[in-house]
Amino acid sequence: MDSVTKSLASLSLHPTLVNHTGTNSPATWRDALTTSADGPDSFELIKTLVYKPKTAKTATPVPVVVIAREAASVNSGAIGKNLNLKDLRLASEDLLKEFFSLDKDSLSPLALNETNFSKVVTVVDASIATISNPLALHALSSSATVFLSSSDLLQYLRNLETENAKIHELDLQNLETAAPAATSKPPPKEKEDARIEGSVQIAIGVKKEVDFSTWYTNANMLDYYNVSGCYILKPWSYSIWEEIQKWFDAEIKELGVQNSYFPMFVSSKVLEREKDHIEGFSPEVAWVTKAGNSDLEEPIAIRPTSETAMYPYYAKWIKSHRDLPLKLNQWNSVVRWEFKNPQPFLRTREFLWQEGHTAHLTKEEADVEVRQILELYRRVYEELLAVPVIPGIKSEKEKFAGGLYTTTVEGFIPTTGRGIQGATSHCLGQNFSRPEMFNIVVEDPTDPTNQRKIHVWQNSWGLSTRVIGVMVMVHGDNQGLVLPPRVASVQIVVVPCGITVNTSNETRSKIEGACDELAKTLKKAGIKVKADLRDDKTPGYKFNDWEQKGVPLRLEIGPNDLAKQQTITVRRDNGVKSAVALDNIASTVSQLLESVQNDMFKRAQETFHSRLKEVTKWEDVVPTLDSKNVVVLPWCEREACEEDIKERSGKASEPTDERAPSAGAKSLAIPFDQSRWTAIEPGKTKCPACGNDAKRWTMFGRSY
Amino acid sequence: MDSVTKSLASLSLHPTLVNHTGTNSPATWRDALTTSADGPDSFELIKTLVYKPKTAKTATPVPVVVIAREAASVNSGAIGKNLNLKDLRLASEDLLKEFFSLDKDSLSPLALNETNFSKVVTVVDASIATISNPLALHALSSSATVFLSSSDLLQYLRNLETENAKIHELDLQNLETAAPAATSKPPPKEKEDARIEGSVQIAIGVKKEVDFSTWYTNANMLDYYNVSGCYILKPWSYSIWEEIQKWFDAEIKELGVQNSYFPMFVSSKVLEREKDHIEGFSPEVAWVTKAGNSDLEEPIAIRPTSETAMYPYYAKWIKSHRDLPLKLNQWNSVVRWEFKNPQPFLRTREFLWQEGHTAHLTKEEADVEVRQILELYRRVYEELLAVPVIPGIKSEKEKFAGGLYTTTVEGFIPTTGRGIQGATSHCLGQNFSRPEMFNIVVEDPTDPTNQRKIHVWQNSWGLSTRVIGVMVMVHGDNQGLVLPPRVASVQIVVVPCGITVNTSNETRSKIEGACDELAKTLKKAGIKVKADLRDDKTPGYKFNDWEQKGVPLRLEIGPNDLAKQQTITVRRDNGVKSAVALDNIASTVSQLLESVQNDMFKRAQETFHSRLKEVTKWEDVVPTLDSKNVVVLPWCEREACEEDIKERSGKASEPTDERAPSAGAKSLAIPFDQSRWTAIEPGKTKCPACGNDAKRWTMFGRSY
């Protein structure tokens, strides 16, 4: 770090240096900076990628150093083409060490110095020059950051230039657009870099041209928290969760489910009762070992899920078939201490959810409930969040640890072409109720001798705040969030317009009065509305603000509208404007909100369906996945084949980034509705992956 | 333990021996047994108390060993009188060691053997002989229990008898009743034993003649959990919490409060930011130090409350006076790892609550909100739970750690004569917002130069599931719970009656049909009703079942009622029965439910008021407290005096049990409404405790 400070000082640069905890991803870096008391309030992360072009084995490589905004997509193929270099591959850690004596997490433009600059090719994203926020650069350490203005950074780099070594300023965004679009034939391998480098945040960035994490923060959804992997749900996102809770809670109560609360702590003995189950969860369990200054006698787990915590009591409470069905639910939070890259909503160390746990006398009854709940999950996604999902069953490999079978609603993120598990409803069978487990048993009421025992049939089912993340990714656009009206805490914003310095006070107050009045009228009709009468903000600022936050409908009233007794409606989902009469306005906008909700769903559904590709030849699988589709294969349903598909589809897209979501395709679900694909002919239709007899059409895809 | 087993075997007794974790109170003992897989499903704890009578210092003491049901009240004065022994005091640990080589937690009747039996006086509660459940006795260890039938226990004791040493069977219940009732003059000191020995469970047992913890379990409210100090909220109690949530959540939203969710984890750095605050909480903080198999770099706390977790973000979000007020609330759980005796609802290691955290521009605005929220808390208690409370302000000593002042609603438990804090609404002042703390600052909007800064004024306020415990203790009776109609998840139960073996199938199905029909009618009218048509239970069983659960109103329909087109209504709160016409029934019972709610409140309020005693002389304080009252003193408001009052009122009631709630009187609240007591004359009215000038009437009492 000293050397950094010195070399910057030699250019009369004395930037802020912030020390923080070590970081190993954009998210943890941003976390560390956001929660630091020092450093600027807003900033932009700068990433430094190093590629190695294909050269003769004996030749000394000339690495390509690419300096770009964190959110930028880097198309190494297009860069190579531009520089006339072949087959750029992400450099190995060894190469980084050799050239810069640094690991990838400590790398930054400041690693370039007079000694190494001439030995590399340096590419700078031209758009960096346009950034007005301070740039965050690693100070040759993953736990220290300096902030420079973009002009200072460029000054630093230009200062290193010699006659023979210049920086290359490239417009990475346009390079990307110039690259060939994905087609059904295998795209050039380099294409993969851009997609897999860096996880959702960036993946979304590719298309939506925004930084995903900044997007959440700007849109007021969440804030980063100073415990890594944890996030604050601000009212804007929490209110969506409340809407989902309200709806789902009423529905399950109709099914006879009752709410309860079990403690968050689970003794290790109880947690470890079911072997498969604990194997699935133990690497992520958080342990309390101390209270005050005392060490606990034995560590106590924080629940990752509550099966084993609850079922000893089910065994106690269920004494007779008359105690069945027992249907309990709880709204709580669970902790899974993920060590992978955290992602807001999708992969967080604590998350909110509901977990339902039920016990039944017969398998038939349990089966029926599994599907009833799955149907409610489908409706949460489709009817509340306007997000299309496909209900189906998980493969044996992907089912819940310790369960009998798992049903799921599977979603799809078009931007990345990846599948995402929406929510799952499990039948646990009698696995947890059998004698050597929790022994939940009743007398068989149909047995006149009262001798026969039945071990109960159990289900568990859960829906988490992940739903919000899926909704955001599916509907969001370049302007920010797009909220479906049914879950938006503000469905309509009313903005007074056309007020200038020349507007008389009287007209001004008339317009504001009309906006206020309009809001009151709509509120009375049960619409969630807000009149934005802030006097220190322009209409333009307000438009942008509410668009970013995703409010479904904006109503504008200006002098002209006032005269005509009308308001201008502007839809967030498609930007369509129209003038409508103030007369009968509540009913007009209610219908409009309904249309927004339906149109959002229809658009998303069309996209999903168009990207669900029936594939029957192995050679089409990877190209189809690479074109951001989910493939549907007539599958043999053998676990070995499933592993093989993952392996082969993963290999095909190297080099990968270790931090990226798995690039191999997993089985996502076997859809219940098989009728949309060509009928499988038993004994004739073959699995394209292994040639065995196909059983059912199964969705395979890269996933979150 | 071996010796126990052997001596029992010599009597041909081979009882079940259960090993468990060490226990140090009735609650932990019960916990350990309830969660053990071995041992019987139901049982009764037997306690063994040892007293030392007053003797000459040089004489060898003859301890009195009292063997009683855990729930029994033991009036040592009355026992002493009966045995002609003076001044029985609970024996010291040294004495226990001397006579039995055991500590108090390991003591049991089995500690009596041929060697020591003749050296002590043994008293056995006569009612033990009537117990049909197995008796739990410590096997000379706090971590092992044997179960004996009552006859086996008596056999064991009788076997030790000699010519000169016999057991004394005394009817402890009637001894107690025979003892002089508490009056305004100081009662005999021994009287205290019965009340303070053993905490709420037993205290309630004294009057209500039930075992409090069994009561919760029987009434389906909660179950003991296998992590000590944690309890399962079953639907029957959780639904009460849901009713409170629904009402309170709507009210605070009207005040502009928004819900959000902050992570349960708090970094130690942040937690320790405010010194007074952390001092108040740190002994009870639970620490996560491990995840999976990895040790965390630094321990992370589970929130005991969220001030310090939230306020760094308040500092970030509040940039201008336009961002004020900021009013956030969360419904969550917090963890306070109490090492004291846990008590369901009242003192649990994890509990559910809401915590509101708001920031304001001015003190005036903060002050107003503190009282608005307190008023909502008062209404939760009085209007929903029918529990009277007195709103007031806490003394400096009793206020929230780190706050400016604390307001409270104080409740009262007549059975024990103790006060209980209901819920608190704090003004934190600028203590957390000042520059050296979280520095939450805006420009003063009234300053034209924009130079002046204002550090925001903050409040925090919380209401927890403790409310349920208070409600249970105030309204419960010998039959079990009594639920106020507004929070009962079943307000009315309909029970078919008068069906005998001679009843024709036709009549039977007519009666059941009428009950079902009645329930449907009431349900349509928005009443929470259940028809209990279980065919394997008698009406008597059902009456008892629903009475124990506290359902406010029972409707009975028998053949006679059917003929008269009427139903018999039976109120849970006062047992009053009446016949009412089925015609217009929904409106009749709605009014009846309303009466039940009002009458429950009025009765509880009259009791509370009658036990709030204005006291102006010190010598009246302890006797008044001893008669199960709260005293209201014209108090000087000096902390030294407060400590002195606690000390003196505590000393006066020795010997104490270390596990009992504090026997010294604390200041409970300075009521806002001072007008109900004789006006204080400034400079003339003196504090009865110290003789200084009195300021305000202040409630002092023993408390939970």
Side-chain angles (χ1 to χ4, degrees):
Chain A
M1 266 177 277
D2 256 15
S3 65
V4 174
T5 320
K6 272 185 210 151
S7 66
L8 290 171
S10 72
L11 298 173
S12 305
L13 297 176
H14 304 281
T16 314
L17 174 75
V18 173
N19 291 305
H20 46 74
T21 53
T23 61
N24 61 2
S25 67
T28 54
W29 189 14
R30 182 183 307 279
D31 263 24
L33 294 176
T34 308
T35 56
S36 161
D38 316 316
D41 275 350
S42 56
F43 52 82
E44 189 155 340
L45 302 183
I46 295 298
K47 67 179 169 189
T48 305
L49 303 171
V50 179
Y51 294 88
K52 182 181 157 301
K54 199 174 182 178
T55 45
K57 274 194 177 159
T58 51
T60 308
V62 179
V64 177
V65 178
V66 179
I67 300 165
R69 324 166 74 139
E70 183 53 55
S73 71
V74 174
N75 181 333
S76 60
I79 292 173
K81 207 165 167 184
N82 199 287
L83 299 174
N84 210 13
L85 292 167
K86 271 214 310 217
D87 267 7
L88 294 192
R89 298 272 177 124
L90 277 173
S92 66
E93 288 273 334
D94 287 345
L95 192 111
L96 297 185
K97 205 152 250 170
E98 185 186 334
F99 274 80
F100 307 107
S101 310
L102 289 173
D103 63 28
K104 71 175 180 5
D105 297 327
S106 306
L107 205 62
S108 94
L110 305 178
L112 294 168
N113 54 37
E114 287 172 12
T115 318
N116 61 27
F117 188 75
S118 61
K119 296 178 188 163
V120 302
V121 173
T122 303
V123 174
V124 179
D125 183 356
S127 81
I128 285 182
T130 67
I131 304 174
S132 56
N133 272 336
L135 311 180
L137 311 167
H138 279 303
L140 309 193
S141 157
S142 61
S143 60
T145 299
V146 291
F147 294 93
L148 284 183
S149 70
S150 56
S151 58
D152 288 346
L153 173 61
L154 292 170
Q155 187 198 337
Y156 176 87
L157 294 172
R158 292 228 170 81
N159 189 55
L160 296 173
E161 290 185 322
T162 64
E163 189 77 16
N164 297 319
K166 303 273 185 199
I167 60 176
H168 300 258
E169 278 197 80
L170 295 183
D171 183 347
L172 295 189
Q173 191 55 45
N174 288 331
L175 277 188
E176 190 208 20
T177 318
T183 62
S184 61
K185 70 179 169 72
K189 276 187 184 153
E190 309 87 290
K191 191 70 184 58
E192 192 62 18
D193 297 355
R195 188 169 49 235
I196 62 168
E197 202 279 315
S199 81
V200 202
Q201 280 157 272
I202 302 199
I204 285 285
V206 169
K207 178 152 181 207
K208 294 190 174 161
E209 300 167 316
V210 290
D211 177 330
F212 201 53
S213 51
T214 307
W215 187 18
Y216 278 125
T217 315
N218 285 350
N220 219 18
M221 291 287 271
L222 56 74
D223 211 327
Y224 287 73
Y225 189 71
N226 72 347
V227 173
S228 176
C230 294
Y231 304 89
I232 300 163
L233 297 186
K234 296 177 76 173
W236 200 250
S237 59
Y238 192 82
S239 62
I240 296 172
W241 187 236
E242 285 182 298
E243 286 297 325
I244 293 168
Q245 284 187 303
K246 198 163 70 184
W247 185 87
F248 186 76
D249 199 66
E251 293 288 335
I252 58 175
K253 280 180 176 156
E254 282 296 313
L255 295 178
V257 178
Q258 294 182 296
N259 286 329
S260 58
Y261 189 77
F262 281 71
M264 69 159 83
F265 298 115
V266 187
S267 75
S268 53
K269 207 178 77 184
V270 165
L271 185 68
E272 285 155 11
R273 197 86 160 256
E274 215 289 339
K275 290 301 160 217
D276 288 343
H277 183 70
I278 186 59
E279 255 184 54
F281 288 105
S282 66
E284 298 172 357
V285 170
W287 294 95
V288 176
T289 64
K290 264 185 70 173
N293 288 318
S294 320
D295 289 326
L296 299 188
E297 271 182 42
E298 47 179 35
I300 293 175
I302 304 180
R303 62 180 160 222
T305 179
S306 302
E307 278 76 7
T308 56
M310 292 169 82
Y311 299 165
Y313 303 94
Y314 278 46
K316 187 174 163 193
W317 299 335
I318 298 171
K319 295 289 185 201
S320 141
H321 69 91
R322 293 177 195 272
D323 300 322
L324 296 174
L326 177 62
K327 302 184 177 192
L328 297 185
N329 177 64
Q330 49 180 344
W331 294 96
N332 57 8
S333 77
V334 289
V335 170
R336 298 179 186 173
W337 206 269
E338 304 256 9
F339 289 94
K340 283 183 272 185
N341 217 10
Q343 292 180 18
F345 296 114
L346 302 189
R347 197 185 295 136
T348 63
R349 286 180 170 172
E350 181 191 5
F351 59 85
L352 301 179
W353 76 345
Q354 61 65 220
E355 50 177 328
H357 295 267
T358 62
H360 306 264
L361 187 63
T362 65
K363 179 167 191 299
E364 291 64 40
E365 207 184 298
D367 286 339
V368 166
E369 191 204 67
V370 165
R371 293 295 290 273
Q372 281 174 329
I373 296 295
L374 195 73
E375 171 65 5
L376 293 180
Y377 290 160
R378 184 194 67 74
R379 292 178 62 195
V380 166
Y381 272 101
E382 300 200 332
E383 297 179 10
L384 273 65
L385 302 171
V387 168
V389 289
I390 294 185
I393 192 164
K394 287 280 183 189
S395 70
E396 281 298 300
K397 181 173 151 62
E398 296 292 334
K399 77 178 184 185
F400 181 69
L404 178 64
Y405 66 85
T406 289
T407 66
T408 177
V409 288
E410 291 287 318
F412 175 73
I413 309 301
T415 323
T416 57
R418 290 181 189 269
I420 187 161
Q421 178 177 301
T424 45
S425 176
H426 316 291
C427 180
L428 305 177
Q430 295 168 308
N431 191 28
F432 289 85
S433 71
R434 61 199 154 88
E436 65 278 24
M437 286 288 306
F438 295 102
N439 194 29
I440 314 176
V441 65
V442 298
E443 280 174 7
D444 182 351
T446 65
D447 175 23
T449 70
N450 287 334
Q451 298 294 307
R452 225 165 38 220
K453 303 282 185 188
I454 293 184
H455 286 84
V456 304
W457 292 84
Q458 291 181 272
N459 295 336
S460 73
W461 28 272
L463 176 93
S464 78
T465 38
R466 153 174 282 212
V467 292
I468 303 172
V470 177
M471 179 207 79
V472 167
M473 290 199 289
V474 166
H475 297 305
D477 65 17
N478 291 350
Q479 274 67 52
L481 293 181
V482 182
L483 296 181
R486 280 196 68 179
V487 295
S489 61
V490 178
Q491 297 171 311
I492 293 182
V493 62
V494 183
V495 180
C497 293
I499 297 171
T500 67
V501 282
N502 299 324
T503 310
S504 71
N505 276 347
E506 196 198 335
T507 310
R508 182 196 194 96
S509 76
K510 260 192 194 162
I511 292 174
E512 290 181 354
C515 287
D516 199 37
E517 197 52 47
L518 175 53
K520 279 184 188 143
T521 306
L522 297 181
K523 196 178 171 188
K524 258 185 223 150
I527 294 169
K528 293 171 192 159
V529 60
K530 191 179 171 70
D532 185 352
L533 304 179
R534 285 178 286 181
D535 57 9
D536 63 328
K537 298 285 188 280
T538 64
Y541 178 96
K542 294 176 185 176
F543 293 175
N544 186 52
D545 189 26
W546 296 109
E547 278 175 9
Q548 205 167 48
K549 292 191 167 79
V551 170
L553 204 57
R554 179 172 81 230
L555 302 185
E556 306 172 4
I557 297 185
N560 189 30
D561 304 312
L562 202 57
K564 294 187 185 166
Q565 279 296 293
Q566 67 174 27
T567 176
I568 308 296
T569 63
V570 187
R571 284 172 62 153
R572 174 66 182 88
D573 66 319
N574 61 10
V576 168
K577 278 191 175 196
S578 45
V580 303
L582 284 176
D583 198 36
N584 209 17
I585 185 70
S587 133
T588 313
V589 297
S590 291
Q591 283 167 32
L592 199 48
L593 287 174
E594 197 63 27
S595 303
V596 170
Q597 180 85 28
N598 295 337
D599 292 352
M600 285 178 71
F601 176 67
K602 267 188 230 147
R603 269 197 308 275
Q605 195 180 37
E606 278 161 20
T607 305
F608 190 1
H609 288 175
S610 73
R611 306 277 278 281
L612 257 183
K613 303 283 191 192
E614 177 175 329
V615 170
T616 51
K617 292 186 206 130
W618 174 258
E619 55 269 34
D620 292 341
V621 169
V622 174
T624 309
L625 292 172
D626 285 347
S627 307
K628 299 186 180 172
N629 294 300
V630 163
V631 299
V632 192
L633 310 178
W635 185 44
C636 63
E637 300 186 22
R638 295 182 317 118
E639 194 160 329
C641 175
E642 183 168 7
E643 277 161 13
D644 189 53
I645 292 174
K646 190 171 178 187
E647 174 81 9
R648 286 158 73 195
S649 60
K651 262 193 198 146
S653 39
E654 299 219 66
T656 71
D657 178 323
E658 73 209 41
R659 282 177 277 123
S662 116
K666 295 196 304 185
S667 80
L668 303 174
I670 304 166
F672 291 120
D673 177 9
Q674 291 276 314
S675 69
R676 69 163 88 197
W677 300 286
T678 318
I680 287 179
E681 293 181 64
K684 281 181 91 175
T685 314
K686 300 295 176 185
C687 171
C690 66
N692 280 299
D693 285 353
K695 289 188 173 161
R696 284 176 290 186
W697 289 96
T698 304
M699 294 160 61
F700 281 83
R702 301 197 172 110
S703 67
Y704 287 91
Chain B
M1 269 175 274
D2 256 13
S3 65
V4 173
T5 320
K6 273 185 213 152
S7 64
L8 290 171
S10 72
L11 300 172
S12 303
L13 298 174
H14 304 281
T16 315
L17 174 77
V18 174
N19 291 304
H20 46 75
T21 54
T23 62
N24 60 4
S25 68
T28 54
W29 188 17
R30 182 182 307 280
D31 264 27
L33 294 177
T34 308
T35 57
S36 162
D38 315 315
D41 275 351
S42 58
F43 52 82
E44 189 155 338
L45 302 183
I46 295 299
K47 66 180 169 189
T48 305
L49 302 173
V50 179
Y51 295 88
K52 183 181 155 300
K54 199 174 183 180
T55 45
K57 273 192 179 160
T58 50
T60 307
V62 179
V64 178
V65 178
V66 178
I67 299 167
R69 326 166 72 138
E70 184 53 57
S73 71
V74 174
N75 182 334
S76 59
I79 292 174
K81 207 167 169 185
N82 199 286
L83 299 175
N84 209 11
L85 292 168
K86 269 214 313 216
D87 267 7
L88 293 191
R89 299 272 177 127
L90 275 173
S92 66
E93 289 272 334
D94 287 345
L95 192 108
L96 297 185
K97 206 153 251 167
E98 188 185 333
F99 275 79
F100 308 105
S101 310
L102 287 173
D103 63 28
K104 70 173 178 8
D105 297 326
S106 307
L107 205 61
S108 94
L110 305 177
L112 294 168
N113 55 38
E114 288 172 11
T115 317
N116 59 29
F117 188 75
S118 61
K119 297 178 186 162
V120 304
V121 173
T122 303
V123 174
V124 179
D125 184 356
S127 81
I128 286 182
T130 68
I131 304 175
S132 55
N133 273 334
L135 311 180
L137 310 167
H138 279 302
L140 308 193
S141 157
S142 61
S143 58
T145 299
V146 290
F147 294 93
L148 284 183
S149 69
S150 56
S151 58
D152 288 347
L153 173 62
L154 292 171
Q155 187 198 338
Y156 176 89
L157 294 172
R158 293 227 168 84
N159 189 54
L160 297 172
E161 290 184 324
T162 64
E163 188 78 14
N164 298 318
K166 304 272 184 200
I167 60 175
H168 300 258
E169 277 196 81
L170 295 182
D171 183 348
L172 295 188
Q173 191 55 46
N174 288 329
L175 277 188
E176 190 208 22
T177 319
T183 61
S184 60
K185 72 182 169 71
K189 275 182 184 158
E190 310 87 291
K191 190 73 183 56
E192 191 63 18
D193 297 356
R195 187 168 49 238
I196 61 169
E197 202 278 316
S199 82
V200 203
Q201 281 156 275
I202 300 192
I204 286 283
V206 170
K207 179 152 178 210
K208 294 188 176 162
E209 299 166 318
V210 290
D211 178 330
F212 201 54
S213 52
T214 307
W215 187 18
Y216 278 126
T217 314
N218 285 350
N220 218 17
M221 291 288 270
L222 56 74
D223 211 327
Y224 288 72
Y225 189 70
N226 72 347
V227 173
S228 175
C230 294
Y231 304 88
I232 300 163
L233 297 185
K234 296 176 78 173
W236 199 250
S237 59
Y238 192 83
S239 62
I240 296 172
W241 186 236
E242 285 182 297
E243 286 298 324
I244 293 168
Q245 284 187 303
K246 198 163 72 183
W247 185 87
F248 186 76
D249 199 68
E251 291 289 335
I252 58 175
K253 279 179 177 156
E254 281 297 311
L255 296 178
V257 178
Q258 294 181 297
N259 285 331
S260 59
Y261 190 77
F262 282 71
M264 70 159 82
F265 298 115
V266 186
S267 75
S268 54
K269 209 177 75 184
V270 165
L271 184 68
E272 284 154 11
R273 196 86 159 255
E274 215 287 341
K275 290 301 159 218
D276 288 342
H277 183 70
I278 186 60
E279 255 183 54
F281 288 103
S282 65
E284 299 172 357
V285 170
W287 295 95
V288 175
T289 64
K290 266 186 71 174
N293 289 316
S294 319
D295 289 326
L296 299 187
E297 274 183 38
E298 47 178 36
I300 293 175
I302 303 180
R303 61 181 161 221
T305 179
S306 302
E307 279 75 8
T308 55
M310 292 170 82
Y311 299 165
Y313 303 93
Y314 279 45
K316 186 174 163 193
W317 299 334
I318 298 171
K319 295 291 185 198
S320 141
H321 69 92
R322 293 177 195 273
D323 300 323
L324 295 174
L326 178 63
K327 301 184 178 192
L328 298 185
N329 177 63
Q330 49 181 343
W331 294 97
N332 58 9
S333 77
V334 290
V335 171
R336 297 180 187 172
W337 205 269
E338 305 255 10
F339 289 94
K340 282 181 274 184
N341 215 10
Q343 292 179 18
F345 296 116
L346 302 190
R347 197 185 298 136
T348 63
R349 286 179 170 170
E350 180 190 5
F351 59 86
L352 300 179
W353 76 345
Q354 61 65 221
E355 49 176 329
H357 295 267
T358 63
H360 306 264
L361 188 62
T362 65
K363 179 169 190 302
E364 290 67 37
E365 206 183 301
D367 286 339
V368 167
E369 191 203 67
V370 165
R371 295 293 290 272
Q372 281 173 328
I373 296 295
L374 195 72
E375 172 65 6
L376 294 180
Y377 289 159
R378 184 193 68 74
R379 293 178 61 196
V380 166
Y381 272 100
E382 300 199 333
E383 297 179 10
L384 272 65
L385 302 171
V387 169
V389 288
I390 294 186
I393 191 163
K394 286 281 184 188
S395 71
E396 281 300 297
K397 180 172 154 61
E398 296 293 332
K399 77 180 185 184
F400 180 69
L404 179 62
Y405 66 86
T406 288
T407 66
T408 177
V409 287
E410 291 286 318
F412 175 72
I413 308 301
T415 322
T416 58
R418 291 180 188 270
I420 186 160
Q421 179 177 301
T424 45
S425 175
H426 317 290
C427 180
L428 305 177
Q430 295 169 308
N431 190 29
F432 289 85
S433 70
R434 61 201 155 84
E436 66 278 26
M437 284 288 304
F438 295 102
N439 195 29
I440 314 175
V441 64
V442 299
E443 281 174 4
D444 182 350
T446 66
D447 175 23
T449 69
N450 287 336
Q451 298 294 307
R452 223 162 41 218
K453 304 281 186 189
I454 293 183
H455 287 83
V456 303
W457 292 83
Q458 291 179 272
N459 296 336
S460 73
W461 27 273
L463 177 92
S464 78
T465 37
R466 154 174 282 213
V467 294
I468 302 172
V470 177
M471 179 207 78
V472 167
M473 290 199 290
V474 167
H475 297 305
D477 65 17
N478 291 351
Q479 273 68 54
L481 293 180
V482 183
L483 295 181
R486 282 196 67 178
V487 296
S489 62
V490 177
Q491 298 172 311
I492 292 181
V493 62
V494 183
V495 180
C497 294
I499 297 171
T500 66
V501 280
N502 300 324
T503 311
S504 71
N505 276 347
E506 194 197 336
T507 310
R508 182 196 195 97
S509 76
K510 260 192 192 160
I511 291 175
E512 289 180 355
C515 288
D516 199 38
E517 197 52 47
L518 176 53
K520 279 184 187 141
T521 306
L522 298 181
K523 196 178 172 188
K524 257 185 222 147
I527 295 169
K528 294 171 191 156
V529 60
K530 191 176 171 70
D532 185 352
L533 304 179
R534 287 178 285 180
D535 57 8
D536 63 328
K537 299 283 189 277
T538 64
Y541 178 96
K542 293 176 185 177
F543 293 175
N544 186 53
D545 190 26
W546 295 109
E547 278 175 10
Q548 204 168 49
K549 292 190 167 78
V551 169
L553 204 57
R554 178 173 80 232
L555 302 186
E556 306 172 4
I557 297 185
N560 189 29
D561 304 310
L562 202 58
K564 293 187 183 165
Q565 278 296 294
Q566 67 176 25
T567 176
I568 308 297
T569 63
V570 185
R571 285 172 62 153
R572 175 66 181 88
D573 65 320
N574 62 9
V576 169
K577 278 191 174 197
S578 43
V580 303
L582 284 176
D583 197 38
N584 209 18
I585 185 70
S587 133
T588 313
V589 297
S590 292
Q591 284 167 30
L592 199 47
L593 288 173
E594 196 63 28
S595 303
V596 170
Q597 180 85 29
N598 294 338
D599 292 351
M600 285 177 71
F601 176 67
K602 266 187 231 148
R603 267 197 308 274
Q605 195 180 37
E606 277 161 21
T607 305
F608 191 0
H609 288 176
S610 73
R611 307 276 280 278
L612 258 182
K613 302 285 191 190
E614 178 174 328
V615 170
T616 51
K617 292 188 205 127
W618 173 257
E619 55 269 34
D620 292 340
V621 169
V622 174
T624 309
L625 292 172
D626 285 346
S627 309
K628 298 186 180 173
N629 295 300
V630 163
V631 299
V632 192
L633 309 179
W635 185 45
C636 63
E637 299 186 23
R638 295 181 318 117
E639 195 159 329
C641 175
E642 184 169 6
E643 278 161 13
D644 189 51
I645 292 173
K646 190 171 177 187
E647 174 82 7
R648 287 159 71 196
S649 59
K651 262 192 199 145
S653 39
E654 298 220 66
T656 70
D657 177 326
E658 73 207 41
R659 283 176 276 126
S662 115
K666 294 196 305 185
S667 79
L668 303 173
I670 304 166
F672 290 122
D673 177 9
Q674 290 277 314
S675 69
R676 70 164 86 194
W677 299 285
T678 317
I680 287 179
E681 292 181 66
K684 282 183 94 175
T685 314
K686 300 294 175 186
C687 171
C690 66
N692 281 298
D693 284 352
K695 289 187 174 163
R696 283 176 291 185
W697 289 97
T698 304
M699 294 159 61
F700 279 83
R702 302 200 171 108
S703 67
Y704 287 92

